[in-house]
């Protein structure tokens, strides 16, 4: 019987090994493509810092512009920063421009000069000189249309290294790492501080053992609490160390002199403030430099955020710690702090309360003399309080009580010249 020969099938079947190979190849190609995109979009970027000076002709220099704590200083700096930012945001460098900051306002004749640092990010393939020329051109256009600020054409723009930028910021006050790098992010998390987070923090050590905190207000002076020296007033017994660790400090400097407020009252805690002069000036670095001092009229707003830092014990009666810790608190209205359930009138005009309702975040023994700081609108940090007293540690309705720095601004200037 005739049986037709099977006709060859038109269907094509791939070997399972071939299918696996094709899938793997596709995944590899996709991964390489994504990797290249990430590289060119993120890692193929180079950061550039530039410095320029702007002379403001129609603003007369006054004493109010000598301190970053005054509203006049903030207002003028923010106007200059806004003008520069708008000029680049509206230019063909909008995608490369990151941030600008007025590092310092200084006097020249009767006018004002602003020293400004600008940050850009571009492809590594871009010519640095070309970018610099474009920046110069955009600034020139801005200066020709300055609005209500009369600004002379800037001098030659200077290219800064990362170290140059650090030097600019650390010679002035109140800069944390996010400002030094002109980062767009500012994050403070956790309880342990990293090196450089609070570069003005000082450990005042009695016979080489941590005893009190302090805050660096110049390269030679530390602000702290008077009660730290009630029983130990001999400067030769004291050393100041810098860095987050009390065991392995970044710098160690002996103390030359200790000045307590003449009217310090231990019983009422009034005038609990002192300044310590160092035997030699501290070398300012990224991780060690001074905080800003507020002006006497600076307002400390109840409910605003503040940070307290130190090596104090974690529980009442406990031992101090060796690694710097940080705590976020809020400023508390003095009337609330003086209610019968709290301190019943014990908080006087030269004092400041800060804490959280639960009491869970608070200064404790060993934190005395350390700083309570706040950040202003330009990311500069100011010391507003000095850890002074409180009932035990971390109890509800018993917040930390701090010496109010604004009350003693003139006294600090008289003693230190700062």
């Amino acid at each position: 019987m005739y049986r037709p020969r099977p006709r060859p099938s038109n269907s094509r079947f791939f070997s399972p090994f071939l299918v696996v190979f094709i899938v793997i190849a596709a995944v590899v190609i996709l991964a390489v493509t994504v990797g290249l995109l990430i590289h060119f979009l993120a890692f193929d970027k180079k950061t550039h810092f530039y410095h320029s000076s702007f002379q403001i002709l129609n603003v007369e220099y006054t004493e109010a512009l000598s301190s970053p704590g005054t509203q006049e200083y903030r207002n003028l700096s923010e106007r200059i920063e806004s003008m520069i930012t708008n000029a680049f945001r509206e230019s063909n460098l909008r995608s490369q421009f990151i941030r600008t900051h007025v590092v310092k306002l200084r006097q020249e004749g009767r006018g004002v000069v602003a020293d400004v640092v600008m940050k850009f990010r571009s492809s590594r393939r871009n010519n640095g000189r070309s970018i610099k020329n474009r920046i110069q051109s955009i600034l020139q256009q801005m200066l020709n249309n300055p609005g209500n600020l009369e600004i002379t054409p800037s001098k030659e723009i200077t290219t800064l290294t990362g170290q140059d930028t650090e030097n600019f910021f650390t010679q002035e006050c109140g800069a944390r790492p996010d400002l030094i790098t002109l980062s767009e992010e500012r994050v403070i998390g956790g309880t342990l501080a990293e090196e450089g987070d609070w570069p003005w923090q000082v450990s005042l050590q009695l016979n080489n053992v941590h005893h009190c905190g302090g805050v660096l207000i110049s390269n030679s002076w530390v602000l702290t609490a008077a009660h730290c020296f009630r029983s130990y007033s001999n400067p030769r017994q004291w050393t100041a160390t810098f860095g987050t660790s009390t065991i392995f400090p970044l710098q160690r400097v002996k103390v030359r002199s200790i000045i307590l407020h003449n009217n310090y009252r231990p019983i009422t805690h009034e005038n609990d403030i002192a300044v310590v002069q160092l035997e030699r000036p501290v070398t300012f670095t990224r991780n060690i430099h001074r905080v800003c001092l507020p002006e006497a009229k600076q307002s400390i707003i109840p409910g605003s955020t503040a940070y307290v830092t130190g090596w104090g014990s974690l529980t009442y009666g406990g031992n101090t710690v060796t690694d710097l810790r940080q705590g976020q608190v809020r400023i508390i209205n003095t009337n609330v702090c003086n209610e019968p359930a709290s301190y019943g009138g014990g908080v006087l005009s030269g004092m400041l309360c800060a804490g959280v309702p639960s009491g869970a975040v608070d200064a404790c023994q060993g934190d005395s003399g350390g700083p309570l700081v706040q950040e202003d609108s330009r990311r500069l940090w100011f010391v507003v309080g000095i850890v002074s007293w409180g009932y035990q540690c971390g109890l509800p309705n018993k917040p930390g009580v701090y010496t109010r720095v604004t009350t003693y601004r003139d006294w600090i200037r008289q003693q230190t010249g700062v």
Side-chain angles (χ1 to χ4, degrees):
M1 188 169 84
Y2 172 75
R3 294 181 179 178
R5 182 180 296 177
R7 299 173 64 184
S9 172
N10 290 328
S11 301
R12 304 288 180 121
F13 294 98
F14 291 110
S15 162
F17 298 105
L18 183 59
V19 172
V20 171
F21 175 79
I22 293 172
V23 170
I24 292 174
V27 170
V28 169
I29 292 171
L30 181 61
V32 170
T33 303
V34 171
L36 288 172
L37 282 173
I38 292 174
H39 173 76
F40 286 114
L41 292 176
F43 298 104
D44 188 41
K45 296 290 185 181
K46 183 178 180 180
T47 298
H48 306 268
F49 289 96
Y50 299 95
H51 164 252
S52 187
S53 297
F54 301 86
Q55 187 170 21
I56 319 300
L57 297 178
N58 62 335
V59 176
E60 187 172 336
Y61 189 88
T62 64
E63 187 64 26
L65 295 178
S66 65
S67 166
T70 66
Q71 196 57 50
E72 291 87 348
Y73 190 108
R74 289 193 189 98
N75 288 344
L76 181 56
S77 297
E78 288 175 345
R79 287 173 66 189
I80 297 167
E81 290 162 358
S82 178
M83 285 177 59
I84 296 171
T85 298
N86 290 338
F88 285 112
R89 293 289 185 224
E90 296 169 2
S91 74
N92 56 9
L93 283 180
R94 66 179 67 86
S95 60
Q96 285 115 311
F97 173 76
I98 306 298
R99 278 193 67 205
T100 187
H101 186 83
V102 173
V103 180
K104 185 177 184 178
L105 296 177
R106 52 189 170 87
Q107 184 175 8
E108 188 167 297
R110 298 182 64 184
V112 181
V113 173
D115 287 309
V116 177
V117 173
M118 298 166 286
K119 180 181 180 180
F120 293 80
R121 186 179 294 122
S122 65
S123 170
R124 293 181 183 275
R125 294 166 293 172
N126 284 359
N127 183 287
R129 183 175 294 278
S130 172
I131 295 175
K132 186 175 175 181
N133 290 338
R134 289 162 67 190
I135 293 172
Q136 183 76 47
S137 175
I138 292 165
L139 288 179
Q140 190 66 45
Q141 294 174 27
M142 179 198 77
L143 298 172
N144 291 334
N145 299 280
N148 57 357
L149 283 181
E150 294 179 12
I151 305 178
T152 60
S154 62
K155 298 177 181 178
E156 177 68 21
I157 294 175
T158 304
T159 302
L160 300 177
T161 65
Q163 187 60 56
D164 292 335
T165 307
E166 283 186 19
N167 293 341
F168 257 103
F169 280 98
T170 56
Q171 293 311 305
E172 303 308 314
C173 68
R176 292 182 78 244
D178 60 343
L179 180 58
I180 292 174
T181 58
L182 291 181
S183 169
E184 294 183 285
E185 298 180 357
R186 40 183 166 178
V187 179
I188 305 172
T191 54
L192 281 176
E194 295 184 9
E195 204 69 76
D197 278 354
W198 310 105
W200 37 80
Q201 179 76 46
V202 181
S203 167
L204 291 172
Q205 302 193 355
L206 178 65
N207 298 321
N208 296 318
V209 176
H210 173 77
H211 188 73
C212 272
V215 57
L216 197 62
I217 59 172
S218 79
N219 63 357
S220 300
W221 289 95
V222 174
L223 184 65
T224 186
H227 77 258
C228 291
F229 309 100
R230 283 182 62 186
S231 303
Y232 309 97
S233 58
N234 183 357
R236 294 183 180 181
Q237 294 178 285
W238 290 89
T239 306
T241 70
F242 305 87
T244 59
S245 171
T246 56
I247 300 176
F248 305 106
L250 299 178
Q251 289 188 51
R252 184 187 297 273
V253 183
K254 293 181 179 180
V255 168
R256 172 176 291 173
S257 63
I258 300 168
I259 304 173
L260 277 59
H261 196 288
N262 286 337
N263 295 320
Y264 168 54
R265 301 286 182 265
I267 295 176
T268 60
H269 314 288
E270 288 178 271
N271 307 309
D272 189 11
I273 188 169
V275 287
V276 171
Q277 185 178 26
L278 303 176
E279 195 173 71
R280 62 173 175 81
V282 175
T283 302
F284 283 170
T285 68
R286 177 190 180 95
N287 296 330
I288 305 172
H289 51 270
R290 62 192 173 106
V291 75
C292 291
L293 284 165
E295 290 301 297
K297 297 180 180 179
Q298 184 165 316
S299 174
I300 312 299
I301 303 171
S304 59
T305 299
Y307 287 85
V308 58
T309 51
W311 292 274
S313 57
L314 304 183
T315 57
Y316 181 68
N319 295 324
T320 58
V321 298
T322 57
D323 295 312
L324 186 65
R325 298 177 71 86
Q326 60 198 22
Q328 180 180 305
V329 292
R330 290 192 178 276
I331 304 298
I332 299 172
N333 184 286
T334 300
N335 291 333
V336 172
C337 211
N338 270 329
E339 289 178 352
S342 190
Y343 288 118
V347 180
L348 306 178
S349 60
M351 302 175 187
L352 180 69
C353 288
V356 296
S358 66
V361 183
D362 194 10
C364 206
Q365 294 124 319
D367 289 322
S368 290
L372 179 75
V373 295
Q374 289 192 300
E375 184 183 31
D376 77 352
S377 59
R378 301 184 58 247
R379 295 199 193 181
L380 294 178
W381 289 83
F382 291 78
V383 55
V384 296
I386 302 166
V387 178
S388 180
W389 64 279
Y391 181 73
Q392 296 191 14
C393 311
L395 297 180
N397 298 318
K398 302 293 183 183
V401 185
Y402 300 77
T403 304
R404 188 185 289 264
V405 174
T406 52
T407 302
Y408 299 93
R409 183 65 186 92
D410 292 337
W411 181 85
I412 294 169
R413 185 179 290 108
Q414 290 166 8
Q415 304 304 320
T416 67
V418 180

